[in-house]
Amino acid sequence: MAAVTSVDRDRDRDRVPKQDRSRATRQRLLEAAVACLAEHGWAGSTVSVVAERAGVSRGAAQHHFPTREDLFTAAVEYVAEERSTAIRALFPEGTAGDRRAVVAALVDLFTGPLFRAALHLWVAASDEEQLRPRVTELEARVGRETHRIAVELLAADESRPGVRETIQGLLDMARGLGLANLLTDDRGRRERVVTQWASLLDSALG
């Protein structure tokens, strides 16, 4: 077994901070990409714009994400995962049957900067052949995860007829409220709709 030299020890000490810096740079790029997409849309969100916002060089950005498509699909996926984690954290000890709180939390998933960024990505994917399959796969994966979270938080039994469709209808409704909120602050109407949906769920889910 070869002896560990001082050069090896120095290299090991340097490696961890470098890895930490690399992770921090990647996260800044992802967060900057989502913010740019939400504010400027696909056309105004170039790798250079994102790199400048993140405070890194274009070369550093391309080291982490070789193409523009790599950067933006990874960015929306990253924040989607963060939001999924956040919504689970809202109810660490269960919901105690408060379905309105669950519905409100799910609706919030579709009214923040993530949804706005994702919407720009969907529009771009409808015209960009190279981007479309990646965004389609991402959306399907995020949709499945959101559906699982809803089922768990609502304690829904999907073996019962109509329950799965009811949960999907809830998520479709939430997406629609998110679209309405893009143009105007629709908070008042949204709260009334959330209350009504919670009542419908109580009837449908038992």
Side-chain angles (χ1 to χ4, degrees), residues 159-171:
S159 68
R160 294 175 54 193
V163 169
R164 180 174 181 80
E165 291 75 16
T166 298
I167 298 298
Q168 192 56 56
L170 164 63
L171 297 177

Side-chain angles (χ1 to χ4, degrees), residues 10-27:
D10 290 342
R11 187 183 297 117
D12 288 341
R13 280 196 298 268
D14 291 341
R15 187 178 294 127
V16 174
K18 184 176 181 180
Q19 290 172 346
D20 288 344
R21 289 196 299 272
S22 178
R23 283 193 293 268
T25 297
R26 187 177 190 278
Q27 183 166 332

Side-chain angles (χ1 to χ4, degrees), residues 124-153:
S126 68
D127 296 321
E128 298 282 342
E129 195 68 35
Q130 185 177 0
L131 191 61
R132 188 180 307 144
R134 304 176 71 171
V135 174
T136 299
E137 189 277 333
L138 169 61
E139 173 60 16
R141 185 145 41 91
V142 171
R144 288 192 297 270
E145 174 65 11
T146 305
H147 189 100
R148 280 196 297 271
I149 291 172
V151 169
E152 290 175 13
L153 293 178

